[in-house]
Amino acid sequence: MTKKVYIPADTSALSLGADEVAGKFQRLARKRGVQVEVVRNGSRGAFSLEPLVEAETPEGRVAWGPVAPGDAETVFDSVVGNGEHPLFLGPVENIPYLKDQTRITFKRVGLIDPLSMDDYIKHGGLEGLKKALEITPVEIVAKVTASGLRGRGGAAFPTGIKWETAMKAASPIKYVVCNADEGDSGSFSDRMLMEGDPFSLIEGMIIASLAIDATEGYVYLRSEYPYARETFSKAIEAAYEKGLLGEKVLGSKKRFDLYLVVGGGSYVCGEETALLESLENRRGMVRPRPPVPAVSGLFRRPTILNNVITFGAVTNIFEKGADHYKKLGVGKSVGTLPFQLSGNVKRPGLVEAPLGINLKDLIYGFGGGSATGRPVKALQIGGPLGAYFPASRIEKMKLSYEDVAANGGILGHGGIVVFDDKADMADMARRSLEFVVKESCGKCTPCRLGSMRAYELLEAIIKGDASKDITLLK
């Protein structure tokens, strides 16, 4: 009987030796004549346990971790012999870091073979698209609107309004574009979904195309993501082979073609209009608005432009219903968000939870506090343009769009970077401003000159110039 073993091919797991572990498992299986099938899945997001090795049993999946290449042989013996091992974690679903999450968008990541359409369908894939194919564009947009979904790329603009605007715009040609130019520090959820469940992004984009009668779509991927590029390219090929993309989507009369474009490495291309400029083979510079992309986007045609996580959430909304999604979250911040923990934190990784989760529960409950064991001093939320919050805010702040804004910050993409009490926060702020200065496209005066003046002001303050007013940085 063949033993099925799962070892992630996610970028984070690979950086910790997952390829070496998988290679050793395959060599040991051949050497010992043991029937072992190694499946390269996505990461569960518990990075402190990576590489995480899982094996199927009659009672469900069990895991070992973190399995370094030097541990591979003894873990292999435990897997095939069902013996005890210090790295044995028991049933995957009982691992606290995973058990306490609310997996909606990431429900298949780590569970399936990312490039197996059969695996995708077995775990609920394409159910949402099938339902969308049975209703009108107006009904599709109404369902997205009713769900309360807001863009997960940072701006949190209501997705239904964006889709409705593009639907009503008069044009014989329309487009669907995915912003996968994930450039914020401490953010990696887009990459993880594209590497661990790429068909969910494809399905979400097809549903968007049905809403506005678009026949062409583009995914603009960050150039620093080679493994996501490889996996998603293969997923597009498989989607064409299985009839998910092309002339007749799932045997319907709808056509949709999808293309992957790799960005030029500019941070500003994460802004949607600069991304469109880059897609059109021009320098990535911000366009004046109005008109918005939903009216005049790619090649000046109406365009639905959302990020990876937004399209990933759409598939669940159509599979389970708008009410199922909307009941999660708090106030106008509905649904879940895959929060990303990094920096000086004991258990870094991805945590999908309903919006409104208490920051303390995330940092200390899931994250385990600082990796050094020292007191947490501060954290940054929302990338290099986001605010730094003191530890005193952790106790009461909730991670909703409204509550973070009320505290003077932006939730953004959900990336959270943790610092302990030894961190020089003035230096951290200086580094963020230095990054912003270097990455400005130089088009708008407030950004081009304002960021430089802010950097110079902070530099002067750090050097002890008491004549400078720090409140000017706010």
Side-chain angles (χ1 to χ4, degrees):
M1 182 177 177
T2 301
K3 191 88 170 183
K4 186 173 284 190
V5 177
Y6 295 82
I7 303 175
D10 174 272
T11 294
S12 298
L14 293 177
S15 71
L16 294 166
D19 262 350
E20 293 89 334
V21 173
K24 284 192 174 184
F25 263 63
Q26 291 165 336
R27 289 192 295 273
L28 287 166
R30 290 193 298 268
K31 181 178 179 180
R32 300 182 186 181
V34 180
Q35 297 297 312
V36 173
E37 178 189 355
V38 177
V39 178
R40 305 306 301 275
N41 58 330
S43 172
R44 299 272 188 172
F47 293 160
S48 62
L49 301 177
E50 290 291 7
L52 185 70
V53 173
E54 302 178 37
E56 284 189 352
T57 72
E59 293 76 33
R61 298 254 282 263
V62 294
W64 293 256
V67 182
D71 302 314
E73 186 166 358
T74 58
V75 171
F76 180 88
D77 293 337
S78 178
V79 169
V80 299
N82 298 314
E84 295 184 0
H85 195 282
L87 298 177
F88 184 65
L89 300 170
V92 177
E93 63 269 19
N94 289 342
I95 296 173
Y97 191 91
L98 302 175
K99 181 180 180 181
D100 296 332
Q101 295 190 35
T102 304
R103 291 259 170 155
I104 300 294
T105 305
F106 277 74
K107 65 182 178 182
R108 283 180 290 264
V109 177
L111 183 63
I112 65 170
D113 176 348
L115 294 174
S116 169
M117 184 70 75
D118 291 338
D119 226 2
Y120 182 67
I121 294 171
K122 179 181 176 182
H123 291 90
L126 302 187
E127 290 302 315
L129 176 57
K130 290 176 182 177
K131 293 176 181 178
L133 284 166
E134 295 174 351
I135 59 179
T136 66
V138 172
E139 290 171 317
I140 290 173
V141 171
K143 188 177 288 288
V144 173
T145 303
S147 74
L149 176 65
R150 295 164 68 177
R152 297 304 192 231
F157 189 81
T159 305
I161 293 176
K162 182 179 287 189
W163 286 28
E164 182 178 20
T165 302
M167 179 187 69
K168 291 181 176 179
S171 175
I173 300 174
K174 298 181 181 182
Y175 297 100
V176 177
V177 174
C178 175
N179 182 349
D181 193 57
E182 186 176 48
D184 281 352
S185 51
S187 296
F188 43 83
S189 59
D190 287 359
R191 173 190 61 73
M192 285 187 63
L193 193 70
M194 291 182 71
E195 292 178 357
D197 190 14
F199 294 125
S200 66
L201 171 55
I202 295 173
E203 182 178 357
M205 292 184 72
I206 296 173
I207 292 173
S209 77
L210 299 175
I212 62 172
D213 195 25
T215 60
E216 208 168 278
Y218 295 85
V219 175
Y220 187 92
L221 177 66
R222 187 184 183 198
S223 61
E224 292 86 352
Y225 285 168
Y227 297 111
R229 176 183 184 178
E230 180 180 355
T231 300
F232 198 73
S233 295
K234 291 178 180 178
I236 289 177
E237 292 177 7
Y240 274 104
E241 291 173 2
K242 298 292 185 178
L244 179 59
L245 292 172
E247 292 186 8
K248 298 179 179 180
V249 173
L250 292 186
S252 69
K253 295 180 180 179
K254 302 294 183 180
R255 180 188 184 97
F256 189 66
D257 291 303
L258 185 61
Y259 306 94
L260 178 64
V261 177
V262 177
S266 171
Y267 176 71
V268 78
C269 286
E271 194 279 331
E272 60 181 13
T273 62
L275 181 154
L276 292 172
E277 288 290 294
S278 182
L279 264 179
E280 294 176 15
N281 204 29
R282 287 193 289 271
R283 180 182 175 187
M285 298 181 73
V286 177
R287 292 179 182 175
R289 286 178 287 187
V292 296
V295 174
S296 178
L298 185 62
F299 304 120
R300 300 306 191 269
R301 299 288 188 174
T303 303
I304 284 180
L305 203 166
N306 288 118
N307 88 317
V308 176
I309 303 304
T310 310
F311 285 122
V314 164
T315 62
N316 180 77
I317 289 168
F318 279 81
E319 178 190 348
K320 300 291 186 180
D323 290 340
H324 176 266
Y325 192 78
K326 192 172 184 178
K327 71 180 181 181
L328 299 167
V330 58
K332 294 181 180 180
S333 297
V334 305
T336 62
L337 187 68
F339 297 98
Q340 301 121 85
L341 295 176
S342 63
N344 194 334
V345 62
K346 185 177 181 180
R347 293 190 290 269
L350 182 138
V351 177
E352 186 172 1
L355 283 160
I357 181 176
N358 189 280
L359 185 55
K360 181 180 179 181
D361 292 338
L362 195 64
I363 301 301
Y364 291 103
F366 287 98
S370 73
T372 57
R374 301 186 63 84
V376 172
K377 181 178 184 177
L379 46 88
Q380 185 184 38
I381 302 177
L385 300 178
Y388 288 93
F389 294 95
S392 59
R393 301 283 184 93
I394 294 176
E395 189 73 32
K396 295 182 179 180
M397 197 160 84
K398 295 185 182 299
L399 291 170
S400 68
Y401 296 114
E402 289 74 27
D403 203 35
V404 174
N407 278 274
I410 54 172
L411 183 55
H413 199 50
I416 301 174
V417 184
V418 181
F419 303 89
D420 75 3
D421 63 351
K422 283 194 170 184
D424 183 340
M425 299 313 300
D427 185 54
M428 292 298 106
R430 181 186 64 79
R431 290 174 184 270
S432 289
L433 283 172
E434 183 180 27
F435 175 83
V436 172
V437 169
K438 289 182 177 179
E439 291 294 331
S440 171
C441 71
K443 183 172 184 178
C444 306
T445 302
C447 178
R448 184 180 68 250
L449 297 181
S451 58
M452 176 57 76
R453 296 293 86 82
Y455 175 75
E456 292 170 345
L457 175 61
L458 185 57
E459 278 276 85
I461 292 171
I462 291 173
K463 292 177 180 178
D465 188 344
S467 68
K468 302 299 182 182
D469 184 2
I470 196 171
T471 60
L472 294 174
L473 290 173
K474 294 184 178 180

